[in-house]
Amino acid sequence: MRPPARDALARAQRSAVHLELRDAYMLDDPGYIAWQQGVRLDRGERSTWWNGWHDAVREAVGRGVAVRRARVVSEPISDYVSYEYGNTFTNLAAGEVVRWLPRRRATGLALPSMDFWLFDGEQALFHHFTGNGRLDEDGREYTDDPALVKLCADAFEAVWERAVPHEHYRPR
């Protein structure tokens, strides 16, 4: 499998943007299962939820990389998106800026068919998921193709413009 997004994030100089388009990922994830059973992350106990991804984001932001994440979600939101929403404080603590776009407000936007990262507006990383929300066996595809990179950049900015900042988004 190709290297994870954190490797590309470590090389980013200016920006890293992530567009999420699914209403569920890895439904067998132990963290999600625990959440379904009522377990919630304790904001005050950072050591219980801070991990390598948070370190990578914090390091990138510290060197001036703008890290933004936009989530296009169906409403009413799925249980999994509710789980993500409740844990978004971890992304924010690391330095990401997060926005939410209700899917019905995405009408008219031309969006890629899958989630992606875009690094410095020069390299895209597509994520290929199976039907049950797991990365498939060869689930990461990097490209420097200018047309695909532009498609991703335009799609992300169109979503970002319509999306609601996390602190103002109230899921239905």
Side-chain angles (χ1 to χ4, degrees), residues 96-155:
E96 289 187 39
V97 180
V98 179
R99 290 188 181 180
W100 302 81
L101 180 63
R103 197 170 305 281
R104 69 176 24 249
R105 292 186 51 208
T107 301
L109 297 182
L111 301 177
S113 59
M114 67 203 68
D115 293 13
F116 65 83
W117 276 95
L118 183 62
F119 302 98
D120 291 332
E122 298 171 358
Q123 182 181 56
L125 166 58
F126 293 102
H127 287 148
H128 299 282
F129 290 97
T130 63
N132 66 2
R134 290 192 118 356
L135 273 177
D136 73 17
E137 201 169 294
D138 191 28
R140 295 180 178 99
E141 177 185 357
Y142 288 89
T143 184
D144 300 326
D145 179 281
L148 287 175
V149 166
K150 182 175 180 348
L151 172 78
C152 291
D154 291 348

Side-chain angles (χ1 to χ4, degrees), residues 59-78:
E59 195 277 329
V61 170
R63 64 174 197 278
V65 176
V67 181
R68 297 183 292 159
R69 179 184 301 260
R71 293 176 169 145
V72 178
V73 297
S74 300
E75 290 183 321
I77 62 172
S78 68

